[in-house]
């Protein structure tokens, strides 16, 4: 099997309980540090075409700044309206100081639209 992980950023680029926007293999991705973990989600709210990376991060959730939709960073599932569709969540691997993301194999492929 081919390794499809690609470097997204350095671990030190991501603030605690914060987010950084990156492009990985042509995909816009929000790399988020929350609850002591690093997550990667599609950087677009499923309710409106707004960058999630511009929202607030708290307790393993990210909030869209425009309408307040919230998403669980572990599953991509919405935890607050008006969004009702999940966002894609991507596998993350840390190697040394590098954050690697696999945008070709989302953890929740049903979220791709």
């Amino acid at each position: 099997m081919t390794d499809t992980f690609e470097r997204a950023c350095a671990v030190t680029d991501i603030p605690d309980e914060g987010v950084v926007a990156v492009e990985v293999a042509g995909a816009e991705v929000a790399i988020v540090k929350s609850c002591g973990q690093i997550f990667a989600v599609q950087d677009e709210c499923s309710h409106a075409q707004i960058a999630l990376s511009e929202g607030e991060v708290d307790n393993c959730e990210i909030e869209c700044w425009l309408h307040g939709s919230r998403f669980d960073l572990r599953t991509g599932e919405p935890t607050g309206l008006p969004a009702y569709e999940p966002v894609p969540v991507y596998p993350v691997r840390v190697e040394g100081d590098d954050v690697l993301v696999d945008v070709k194999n989302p953890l929740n492929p049903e979220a791709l639209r």
Side-chain angles (χ1 to χ4, degrees):
M1 183 172 178
T2 305
D3 186 357
T4 53
F5 281 84
E6 295 194 32
R7 185 183 187 280
C9 63
V11 171
T12 55
D13 291 341
I14 317 162
D16 287 336
E17 293 300 316
V19 60
V20 62
V22 299
E23 184 177 315
V24 179
E28 298 297 322
V29 179
I31 307 294
V32 185
K33 191 183 294 181
S34 185
C35 302
Q37 298 179 63
I38 297 174
F39 303 95
V41 299
Q42 178 178 288
D43 193 14
E44 184 178 297
C45 179
S46 64
H47 171 254
Q49 294 178 335
I50 301 298
L52 289 175
S53 59
E54 296 177 17
E56 297 292 318
V57 174
D58 185 47
N59 198 30
C60 293
E61 292 184 339
I62 192 164
E63 181 179 46
C64 179
W65 66 268
L66 186 60
H67 297 118
S69 295
R70 297 184 69 79
F71 300 91
D72 187 312
L73 292 165
R74 298 162 290 206
T75 65
E77 290 296 319
T79 59
L81 295 173
Y84 58 89
E85 294 291 330
V87 294
V89 175
Y90 304 110
V92 173
R93 186 166 74 202
V94 176
E95 289 184 359
D97 189 43
D98 292 328
V99 176
L100 308 176
V101 177
D102 182 357
V103 297
K104 300 199 183 327
N105 297 295
L107 298 171
N108 58 343
E110 69 283 355
L112 294 175
R113 42 188 167 101

